[in-house]
Amino acid sequence: MNKLMSCLRWRYISQSLVSLWFALFMCNAQAKEVAIEKWEVVDIPINATVNAKQLFTVDANAIFSHTSGKKMTVPVFYNGGDEWLVRFSASDIGNWTYKIESKQKSLNGRTGRVNVVQNADTTNHGGVVLSSENKQNFYYEDGTPYFVLGYELDWLFALDYEDDQGLPKSEHLLSLIKENGFNHIVMNVYSHDVSWDKDPKLASHPEHEFGGKQNIFPFLGSNEKPDHSALNIEFFKKFDRTVQLLHDKRLVSHLMIYVWNKLVSWPEMNSAADNMYFDYIVKRYQAYPNIVWDISKEALYYGRADEAYIKGRIERLRALNYYQRLVTVHDYGYCAKFPEQVDFISTQDWKHDIYNKMLNVRKRFPNKPIYNIEHGGYEQSPYLVFPGDYVDPEVSVRRNWMILFAGVYTTYYWQGSSWNVIIYNPFEQPDSYIKPRFDFFQHMTNFFTQYDFSTFKPAPDKNGSGYTLKNNEDTYLIYVPKGNYQMSRGDWFLQNVKDGVSFENKQTRNYRWFNILTGELTEPKKITKGMLFISPWRGQADSILISELVNN
């Protein structure tokens, strides 16, 4: 009996020790429970010593499980030292638990919890998605239409790179951009310098020059002396700040992973270093709802990449793109040839008859949104950076309107911020400086806030001497160039059928005018039989004639 009791007592003690060891292990492995709002982003640090030849390519994923049974795979990526990050955001409120799966023992089995609560900030609508019903328009995850108005800002990553304390310049410029209606920032992960001649005036203003900096590089070493064996963690930690700031301001980051014509010392295509860089970008930034992927700026230009390489990059991205952020390629030739590989068509067209060109692209691809990412209108600035074909502000904004009236989304370029030159505070510069006409685009956004772009479609058969959009409520928007003398009285959709009353719906029509340069919107007036339509700003500014049905 004594031997039996002694044996039982030892078994109990042994089991207690095992339980205590397991509890201590789990306490160490268990991440603290965190709470975030829906569509916000949280970084969950994991401390682990990993014995791997290449830390940036370690395969580790956190498998998240929701109380509803829904599961999500979230990449775990290296963040320097012994720190690893699980970067998480979610569309479903409630409790999520996760468990890390990895061949690395120090990472494998780590667990934790995230409580996702309803977002208090009603400006956060989630990621950019497509619609199965309205296939040529963009939406947010909550169903809100997303009117894309792009702004090219290639060197944003460099603007505050040397400021370890914060992003004051980026904060100022992005606030200005947002206030003026832009919401879609077309940007590079990294660019080095431009290949064309620089304006000599820049030599006297180094504060506006961001090209050619050797202390900024995503790999080890520098662009001049690259070491592609590993990535530069400090570069990505600083880039995190920029992407987070964009998210906080509800600005989409249209992130071009590569660029070929900005003198970057890239590793060889499909090499281990190339794959390391590409995969790391996708792993590190996909949790941000404001991310839209673009494989490369002008992907098939400049003799570097071919179709097979771009196709391989898309397939590689989709294999890691667990959050299913939208994917495109900054190359119309590629998108047009392989539309099934991209989520929306990016086109780059500088033609004079931009309206008809965009209209044809829209007709060719009826099941995808079309985004003109570069149309040759590069508004003038204090420096001659890259003039393209059009620099006059009024001409540039007109081209944007023409693109929109073809049912295609568009992008704005200002030479003072689109490339290596960034004047982050243009309206605080001397009076002699050429200022950007951001206000033209604020009026554009305000207009399509009142007249929801996603509900309108081009109506070229009703163009007359203008350009027309029409919605299902029989509202017509007619773009009228300032050189137009009068709208044709034969346009039946501007007239009531008989004595101001339509036979079909017993409703009358009102008309009003919108000035694209000032944003002025006239008061509605009733259309009378046989009247002429003459813009109040004829010869001064392009305008939009609005014809709306009203109840009697």
Side-chain angles (χ1 to χ4, degrees):
M1 177 64 71
N2 290 337
K3 289 182 179 180
L4 177 61
M5 292 299 296
S6 177
C7 181
L8 289 173
R9 188 179 299 110
W10 171 246
R11 179 177 298 177
Y12 173 79
I13 293 171
S14 298
Q15 289 175 341
S16 298
L17 289 171
V18 170
S19 298
L20 177 61
W21 175 86
F22 181 76
L24 289 171
F25 172 81
M26 289 305 296
C27 181
N28 181 59
Q30 184 83 21
K32 291 182 179 179
E33 180 174 353
V34 295
I36 59 167
E37 289 188 0
K38 180 178 180 177
W39 293 318
E40 293 298 346
V41 182
V42 63
D43 283 351
I44 304 170
I46 306 291
N47 190 266
T49 301
V50 174
N51 295 318
K53 184 177 180 180
Q54 179 48 266
L55 296 173
F56 293 100
T57 61
V58 166
D59 187 16
N61 292 306
I63 310 303
F64 278 79
S65 301
H66 189 255
T67 49
S68 66
K70 180 177 179 178
K71 291 186 179 294
M72 282 180 60
T73 300
V74 177
V76 180
F77 56 87
Y78 181 58
N79 198 44
D82 286 333
E83 184 177 74
W84 300 74
L85 289 183
V86 179
R87 179 165 286 166
F88 178 72
S89 66
S91 302
D92 296 274
I93 62 173
N95 289 312
W96 292 83
T97 59
Y98 70 83
K99 183 176 181 180
I100 295 177
E101 295 181 354
S102 176
K103 292 182 180 179
Q104 298 295 328
K105 293 182 179 180
S106 57
L107 289 173
N108 188 55
R110 298 290 190 100
T111 62
R113 293 187 298 272
V114 179
N115 182 30
V116 179
V117 300
Q118 185 62 50
N119 50 313
D121 184 352
T122 57
T123 66
N124 191 352
H125 302 294
V128 181
V129 298
L130 305 180
S131 168
S132 59
E133 297 177 358
N134 198 352
K135 295 183 178 181
Q136 290 194 300
N137 293 99
F138 292 105
Y139 290 83
Y140 291 106
E141 284 183 80
D142 68 355
T144 302
Y146 176 46
F147 173 64
V148 173
L149 185 55
Y151 188 111
E152 180 107 353
L153 192 51
D154 289 346
W155 257 264
L156 179 60
F157 68 90
L159 185 55
D160 284 299
Y161 189 88
E162 297 174 31
D163 190 333
D164 294 331
Q165 304 305 311
L167 305 172
K169 296 175 183 176
S170 301
E171 170 70 37
H172 183 98
L173 179 56
L174 292 176
S175 294
L176 193 59
I177 288 171
K178 181 179 176 64
E179 289 166 5
N180 284 279
F182 303 102
N183 55 14
H184 195 93
I185 307 302
V186 180
M187 56 191 287
N188 294 132
V189 173
Y190 173 73
S191 299
H192 180 62
D193 210 351
V194 296
S195 56
W196 52 80
D197 293 336
K198 297 182 180 181
D199 191 324
K201 295 194 295 292
L202 272 173
S204 301
H205 295 278
E207 72 275 16
H208 296 152
E209 169 65 75
F210 290 88
K213 293 181 178 293
Q214 294 296 331
N215 63 325
I216 305 177
F217 196 53
F219 295 91
L220 298 183
S222 66
N223 192 76
E224 185 179 29
K225 298 179 179 180
D227 177 358
H228 294 137
S229 65
L231 298 174
N232 178 6
I233 282 293
E234 289 307 308
F235 175 91
F236 291 101
K237 287 182 177 180
K238 291 188 174 182
F239 196 64
D240 285 359
R241 302 184 305 173
T242 299
V243 176
Q244 181 66 53
L245 180 61
L246 287 164
H247 174 60
D248 291 343
K249 291 187 175 297
R250 309 307 178 220
L251 295 170
V252 167
S253 171
H254 182 119
L255 194 56
M256 297 183 289
I257 300 175
Y258 299 108
V259 57
W260 307 136
N261 69 331
K262 299 300 187 295
L263 308 182
V264 178
S265 297
W266 295 113
E268 291 296 319
M269 292 188 300
N270 290 316
S271 65
D274 185 25
N275 293 338
M276 171 182 65
Y277 165 81
F278 187 85
D279 294 354
Y280 192 74
I281 297 293
V282 179
K283 290 178 181 179
R284 189 164 186 125
Y285 295 105
Q286 64 179 277
Y288 284 100
N290 63 322
I291 287 291
V292 168
W293 298 117
D294 195 325
I295 299 298
S296 174
K297 183 176 178 66
E298 297 170 335
L300 296 181
Y301 283 67
Y302 311 111
R304 178 179 170 88
D306 56 16
E307 291 177 354
Y309 178 74
I310 299 302
K311 181 176 184 291
R313 294 294 96 174
I314 293 174
E315 292 173 347
R316 194 175 188 95
L317 189 153
R318 291 201 184 278
L320 292 170
N321 188 30
Y322 302 116
Y323 279 86
Q324 298 182 349
R325 305 303 180 202
L326 299 186
V327 181
T328 193
V329 179
H330 188 304
D331 186 281
Y332 177 64
Y334 189 90
C335 290
K337 190 173 182 179
F338 306 105
E340 73 284 354
Q341 295 181 17
V342 295
D343 294 312
F344 60 95
I345 305 295
S346 291
T347 178
Q348 182 177 0
D349 200 313
W350 294 18
K351 302 297 191 301
H352 175 71
D353 57 340
I354 192 72
Y355 171 81
N356 289 321
K357 295 295 183 182
M358 293 301 97
L359 198 64
N360 290 336
V361 175
R362 194 177 195 275
K363 289 178 180 177
R364 183 176 176 182
F365 301 102
N367 296 318
K368 290 183 183 291
I370 315 298
Y371 179 38
N372 191 319
I373 200 165
E374 195 163 354
H375 53 75
Y378 306 116
E379 188 181 316
Q380 62 191 352
S381 80
Y383 309 106
L384 189 66
V385 183
F386 186 80
D389 287 356
Y390 312 91
V391 300
D392 180 85
E394 190 172 342
V395 174
S396 294
V397 74
R398 179 182 294 121
R399 289 180 66 79
N400 282 276
W401 279 105
M402 293 297 93
I403 292 165
L404 291 169
F405 267 70
V408 171
Y409 296 100
T410 190
T411 311
Y412 169 75
Y413 286 71
W414 182 49
Q415 291 187 55
S417 61
S418 289
W419 294 283
N420 58 302
V421 174
I422 304 180
I423 307 172
Y424 78 90
N425 54 350
F427 301 110
E428 296 177 2
Q429 298 301 313
D431 292 342
S432 59
Y433 268 51
I434 299 172
K435 308 297 194 301
R437 294 311 304 263
F438 291 165
D439 54 317
F440 290 172
F441 294 85
Q442 182 182 47
H443 304 324
M444 181 182 287
T445 294
N446 291 343
F447 182 82
F448 282 118
T449 298
Q450 183 165 349
Y451 295 94
D452 181 359
F453 182 78
S454 69
T455 66
F456 283 87
K457 292 179 172 55
D461 58 321
K462 296 177 174 59
N463 276 351
S465 55
Y467 304 90
T468 304
L469 291 171
K470 177 184 179 296
N471 69 6
N472 291 332
E473 297 178 357
D474 219 30
T475 296
Y476 290 85
L477 311 175
I478 305 100
Y479 189 93
V480 182
K482 67 181 181 181
N484 177 275
Y485 183 77
Q486 65 186 27
M487 293 297 294
S488 170
R489 69 177 74 199
D491 291 334
W492 62 266
F493 55 92
L494 295 178
Q495 307 287 346
N496 295 304
V497 176
K498 183 180 179 181
D499 299 327
V501 180
S502 167
F503 285 131
E504 295 180 357
N505 49 39
K506 303 300 181 186
Q507 291 178 313
T508 59
R509 283 189 174 275
N510 280 348
Y511 75 97
R512 57 200 314 195
W513 291 92
F514 175 80
N515 186 318
I516 72 156
L517 301 185
T518 66
E520 183 180 351
L521 184 64
T522 65
E523 292 298 321
K525 294 182 180 179
K526 186 176 179 179
I527 293 177
T528 58
K529 185 178 180 180
M531 70 176 293
L532 298 175
F533 296 92
I534 300 174
S535 169
W537 305 287
R538 182 176 65 188
Q540 302 173 27
D542 293 0
S543 57
I544 297 172
L545 174 59
I546 304 158
S547 171
E548 299 175 278
L549 287 171
V550 292
N551 293 323
N552 289 327

